[in-house]
Amino acid sequence: MAPRENLKIMITQTEIADRVSELALGIKERLGPEPPLVIGLLTGSFMFVADLIRALHTVGVNPEVDFMIVASYRDKRDHSGSVEIIEEPKVDVAGREIVLVDDIVDTGKTLARTVDIVLSKGATKVWTCALLDKPSRRDVKIEADFTGFTIENRFVVGYGLDDGGLYRSAPYIAIINSSG
Ligand code: 5GP
Ligand code: MG
């Protein structure tokens, strides 16, 4: 079976590309004069980060780029309730302006926890940016400073987001259509 046969596209490649360009412009307007440090939360944000930093370059921002590895969902769709930090940033964040990038804000636990970590390591400012937001699922009171798309409470895949490790490579955001 072709990998896309059971996927129903929710946000197209073009819509994502247009929105990423807008996000980069919005971020540029808020940044200070020093080069920012973009920190992507792996694994889900890798594709978004790759596009966002190129969009930042296009609007004249030259960021340093690093990643943290965090785990919350594991291999299941239910949130485990805790956020595991597998790898912290390698670049020293002290005194830096950070743009923390994640794929989606769901319960908010991942973003809240990672913002705390980066601030505790001495970052002067942390901007948060998420491609997707599911506000109806929130446990922790947090909003990203920059949000690509607000979506209803559906489990989505593609553009870096997985279901049991699969579908990350889809260039769009989709819902899995279980009826086939
Ligand atoms: P939070 O800590 O906000 O509950 O969850 C954030 C993480 O949960 C995201 O980075 C993502 O890995 C995962 N997640 C939340 N909602 C979805 C979804 O609809 N699809 C996928 N594939 N992952 C999700
Ligand atoms: Mg994630």
Side-chain angles (χ1 to χ4, degrees), residues 34-170:
E34 298 299 324
L37 171 61
V38 168
I39 299 179
L41 303 185
L42 294 177
T43 303
S45 79
F46 74 95
M47 203 176 280
F48 181 38
V49 169
D51 285 342
L52 185 66
I53 61 176
R54 282 179 283 189
L56 285 169
H57 179 92
T58 301
V59 298
V61 177
N62 185 17
E64 201 170 345
V65 183
D66 199 359
F67 293 93
M68 289 174 73
I69 304 179
V70 300
S72 51
Y73 255 61
R74 293 295 178 187
D75 274 347
K76 54 186 188 297
R77 293 184 193 182
D78 292 325
H79 200 283
S80 65
S82 66
V83 180
E84 188 186 350
I85 307 298
I86 296 168
E87 192 168 315
E88 299 205 340
K90 291 163 287 299
V91 174
D92 185 5
V93 304
R96 299 292 300 269
E97 185 173 16
I98 309 295
V99 183
L100 196 61
V101 180
D102 204 2
D103 49 4
I104 183 166
V105 184
D106 189 35
T107 65
K109 287 177 182 168
T110 303
L111 202 60
R113 179 80 189 283
T114 49
V115 166
D116 280 353
I117 288 173
V118 173
L119 283 175
S120 73
K121 291 175 177 293
T124 35
K125 174 71 192 172
V126 184
W127 300 104
T128 52
C129 178
L131 180 73
L132 303 173
D133 183 16
K134 276 190 207 171
S136 62
R137 292 260 306 158
R138 207 70 96 248
D139 280 344
V140 181
K141 200 172 176 302
I142 188 168
E143 300 297 329
D145 298 306
F146 305 94
T147 298
F149 303 91
T150 299
I151 62 170
E152 59 186 275
N153 183 18
R154 301 291 300 273
F155 188 83
V156 293
V157 297
Y159 200 69
L161 291 107
D162 73 312
D163 182 24
L166 299 179
Y167 301 111
R168 291 193 197 277
S169 57

